[in-house]
Amino acid sequence: MSTYTAKGQLDNTSMLKQYSPLVRRLAHQMIAKLPANVELDDLIQVGMIGLADALTRFDIAQGVQFETFATQRIRGAMLDELRGNDYLSRGTRKQQRTIEAAVHKLEQRMGRAPAESEIAREMGITLAEYQELLGKVRGTQLVYLEDMSGDDGDHDYLDRHVADESFNPLAQLQDHRMREALVAGIKMLPEREQYVMSMYYEHDMNLKEIATVLKVTESRVCQLHSQSIARLRVKLREY
């Protein structure tokens, strides 16, 4: 399919179709480094806007390949969307750290993985309030970009890390000692949480599919998953 019209101009319709897989690929790369409340479809949508913008601004006389130029415009549109919607709120990070602190304190005191009710009691809230908090946190990543930014946050880490295709915080997990800690941590999880982690990460099942297997609601799977992540992040902080 030709990407140029009879007048030698870019055929926008053909180009949008040809480069839409690029948008999806960039969105998947970026969302792997972001918290769970960022929706993939939202990134793809704004990425397509960035692609359309690239088509109108591209000038072959600049001596740059279109894919290179488009990649910059697509990533830029996605980053603008993330900044504008404040997905990486300090409130969420603080809530996550509060849960992790309670889990760590109880594990030190009890020598085992604390139950949900025990964590809730340690935090001074009811079990229902704790489970609601787990649903809000929706932790799905073992290593967050926030971990590299300090307690007060880092307004520039989107530019320095997420925009850099070569940087991936999950690469930290390639460290041998950390992998050992992760494996050991999963084995210490309560049985049901081990099932959730196995289905989510090893079998690539989504929350809805896991809920069907466990015969619970999707929101309950989300709570179990967030709690598992909090426990594992406590273990990984030691490395």
Side-chain angles (χ1 to χ4, degrees):
M1 181 181 297
S2 174
T3 55
Y4 290 87
T5 65
K7 295 181 179 181
Q9 298 174 329
L10 288 176
D11 183 341
N12 287 8
T13 301
S14 296
M15 294 288 280
L16 284 171
K17 184 175 182 180
Q18 179 179 343
Y19 286 95
S20 60
L22 173 64
V23 174
R24 295 190 64 86
R25 185 166 71 250
L26 293 173
H28 278 282
Q29 290 173 353
M30 189 172 289
I31 205 164
K33 310 168 189 178
L34 295 167
N37 58 325
V38 182
E39 296 289 342
L40 177 65
D41 288 345
D42 290 344
L43 286 184
I44 291 174
Q45 184 176 2
V46 297
M48 290 301 294
I49 295 173
L51 174 59
D53 181 57
L55 287 169
T56 62
R57 294 174 180 271
F58 180 68
D59 182 359
I60 194 171
Q62 294 177 344
V64 179
Q65 290 187 343
F66 177 75
E67 182 168 338
T68 301
F69 179 78
T71 296
Q72 294 174 345
R73 305 300 301 187
I74 293 166
R75 282 210 187 102
M78 292 177 180
L79 291 171
D80 286 343
E81 172 73 4
L82 292 169
R83 293 188 190 96
N85 287 282
D86 191 24
Y87 285 109
L88 308 172
S89 70
R90 293 186 182 183
T92 298
R93 295 199 298 270
K94 184 177 180 180
Q95 291 172 331
Q96 178 78 22
R97 288 197 296 267
T98 300
I99 294 173
E100 291 168 18
V103 169
H104 179 67
K105 185 179 295 185
L106 288 170
E107 285 185 350
Q108 294 294 310
R109 184 192 310 159
M110 304 164 68
R112 60 172 174 81
E116 285 177 282
S117 58
E118 293 169 330
I119 299 172
R121 192 178 309 118
E122 178 68 27
M123 295 176 65
I125 58 180
T126 67
L127 177 59
E129 289 171 335
Y130 174 64
Q131 291 177 339
E132 182 180 357
L133 181 59
L134 287 174
K136 289 180 179 178
V137 170
R138 288 186 61 86
T140 64
Q141 293 173 244
L142 291 170
V143 180
Y144 287 131
L145 284 170
E146 291 94 308
D147 296 334
M148 295 113 192
S149 65
D151 291 339
D152 293 329
D154 180 345
H155 296 294
D156 297 324
Y157 67 74
L158 276 174
D159 293 306
R160 293 189 291 104
H161 299 317
V162 177
D164 182 358
E165 183 179 349
S166 65
F167 181 90
N168 188 340
L170 294 182
Q172 288 193 3
L173 299 183
Q174 300 305 311
D175 178 85
H176 182 65
R177 293 178 63 204
M178 187 173 284
R179 283 204 306 268
E180 288 184 342
L182 178 59
V183 171
I186 290 175
K187 289 181 179 178
M188 293 176 64
L189 291 174
E191 187 176 35
R192 176 162 282 199
E193 291 179 32
Q194 287 190 44
Y195 289 151
V196 170
M197 298 299 283
S198 174
M199 285 184 277
Y200 193 90
Y201 289 103
E202 294 181 31
H203 301 287
D204 199 26
M205 296 170 65
N206 60 38
L207 298 184
K208 185 176 182 180
E209 292 168 337
I210 297 172
T212 300
V213 172
L214 295 181
K215 295 181 172 57
V216 297
T217 63
E218 186 174 344
S219 62
R220 179 55 181 156
V221 173
C222 177
Q223 293 168 2
L224 291 170
H225 188 254
S226 295
Q227 186 166 265
S228 301
I229 292 295
R231 296 188 202 272
L232 290 174
R233 279 170 55 81
V234 167
K235 298 296 183 186
L236 294 180
R237 283 184 183 278
E238 300 172 3
Y239 291 84

